[in-house]
Amino acid sequence: LLERNSFGKYALYALGEVLLIVVGILAALWIDNWNQERQETKREQFYLSGLKDEFEASLLKLDTLMAVNRKSYQTAGELLGQIPTASIREEDAFSKMLIGALTYEIAYNPNNSLLMELINSGRLETLSNANLRKHLTSWDSFLESVHRQEINLRTQRQHTLDLLRGPEGSIRTIAAQSGLDIGMDLTGDGNLHSNLALLKSREFENNLLLFMLEAMNTETVHYHPLRKEIETILGLIEGGLE
């Protein structure tokens, strides 16, 4: 074309070649980006599905724990109602109430393995919802507050149990009267030490009252907000699932 002085046609031809190359490169980049976005979306959906399973299991655990804690402080309240008049006359009834109020360990252990993996590996950014990432990042601080309260509750529960281990109490009697001596003979000669004197103990009343207040505070100030936070997180997760 140059020999024929057809420079214009040559330039047009060259431009066409360049455009074809550029279009090819752009198409390849678009396909690569599309494939990468598809993989990222697929990965995000996988993480969201796993987080949904984890937080649903955590919610179920919390509901179960709240029910146990509520039964404990309600039974403690029933005991406190008996103390002013010492109206409980039967040892087995008193033992069963002590078991119902003081034997359950209150400790929340949620399912967090996938969440911890995402945070520790820096893959939390895979989740496109910034609000969800914010809630997931603050989840651990939420749990720390709950666990501190559970330690306070456990300590107060221990103070009350210590009175039963002292000279005025008898663990053997509680076990025997509440049916916890299966396979063992804890009654001995049948002369079990009575725990009913604790109903006249001001120290026992004070410790039991403090335990009940701590248990109620655990539910209202800590477990209820925690449950609401889990529901918020689950709502954000559901919004991102396809």
Side-chain angles (χ1 to χ4, degrees):
L1 291 172
L2 287 174
E3 290 175 356
R4 297 174 185 174
N5 295 322
S6 301
F7 182 77
K9 292 182 179 180
Y10 174 78
L12 185 61
Y13 172 81
L15 180 60
E17 288 290 326
V18 172
L19 287 175
L20 283 175
I21 294 173
V22 171
V23 169
I25 293 174
L26 291 176
L29 289 174
W30 180 85
I31 292 173
D32 184 64
N33 288 337
W34 174 81
N35 186 59
Q36 185 175 348
E37 289 177 1
R38 187 170 64 89
Q39 292 298 324
E40 289 177 356
T41 299
K42 186 177 180 180
R43 190 179 298 112
E44 180 183 18
Q45 290 297 305
F46 173 78
Y47 289 149
L48 288 175
S49 178
L51 289 171
K52 179 175 181 289
D53 291 341
E54 277 196 355
F55 277 94
E56 284 180 343
S58 296
L59 181 60
L60 181 61
K61 281 186 176 182
L62 180 59
D63 285 341
T64 301
L65 186 63
M66 287 174 64
V68 172
N69 182 58
R70 189 176 303 117
K71 179 175 177 57
S72 293
Y73 72 68
Q74 287 176 346
T75 306
E78 292 174 12
L79 269 174
L80 285 167
Q82 304 290 336
I83 286 178
T85 58
S87 57
I88 298 179
R89 297 284 185 257
E90 298 179 358
E91 193 72 43
D92 61 338
F94 185 44
S95 294
K96 290 175 181 178
M97 293 183 78
L98 288 171
I99 289 290
L102 301 172
T103 57
Y104 297 104
E105 184 71 16
I106 306 299
Y108 182 56
N109 296 304
N111 294 17
N112 282 155
S113 56
L114 178 57
L115 175 59
M116 291 301 100
E117 178 186 340
L118 291 176
I119 293 175
N120 294 334
S121 65
R123 285 181 288 186
L124 196 62
E125 294 299 320
T126 304
L127 307 180
S128 57
N129 190 324
N131 195 23
L132 175 59
R133 294 199 306 269
K134 177 183 176 182
H135 280 274
L136 293 177
T137 302
S138 62
W139 171 250
D140 195 50
S141 62
F142 231 108
L143 290 181
E144 286 180 5
S145 175
V146 170
H147 289 159
R148 284 194 297 269
Q149 175 60 26
E150 288 175 340
I151 290 173
N152 294 337
L153 175 60
R154 194 175 301 119
T155 300
Q156 193 54 55
R157 170 174 166 265
Q158 194 62 47
H159 289 334
T160 310
L161 286 172
D162 286 343
L163 295 177
L164 295 171
R165 296 189 181 98
E168 294 184 9
S170 171
I171 302 296
R172 175 188 289 268
T173 300
I174 296 173
Q177 295 291 338
S178 59
L180 298 180
D181 61 340
I182 299 175
M184 300 180 291
D185 182 14
L186 297 179
T187 58
D189 58 2
N191 295 322
L192 294 172
H193 177 80
S194 175
N195 287 308
L196 293 177
L198 288 171
L199 293 171
K200 298 179 181 180
S201 168
R202 182 63 57 83
E203 186 178 7
F204 175 75
E205 179 184 12
N206 289 340
N207 282 326
L208 188 62
L209 177 59
L210 288 172
F211 165 75
M212 186 187 75
L213 293 175
E214 284 286 359
M216 293 174 67
N217 184 65
T218 300
E219 177 178 334
T220 57
V221 180
H222 295 273
Y223 285 163
H224 282 171
L226 181 63
R227 193 181 193 284
K228 185 177 180 180
E229 178 68 6
I230 294 176
E231 289 179 334
T232 298
I233 291 174
L234 282 172
L236 292 171
I237 291 173
E238 290 282 358
L241 283 170
E242 296 179 351

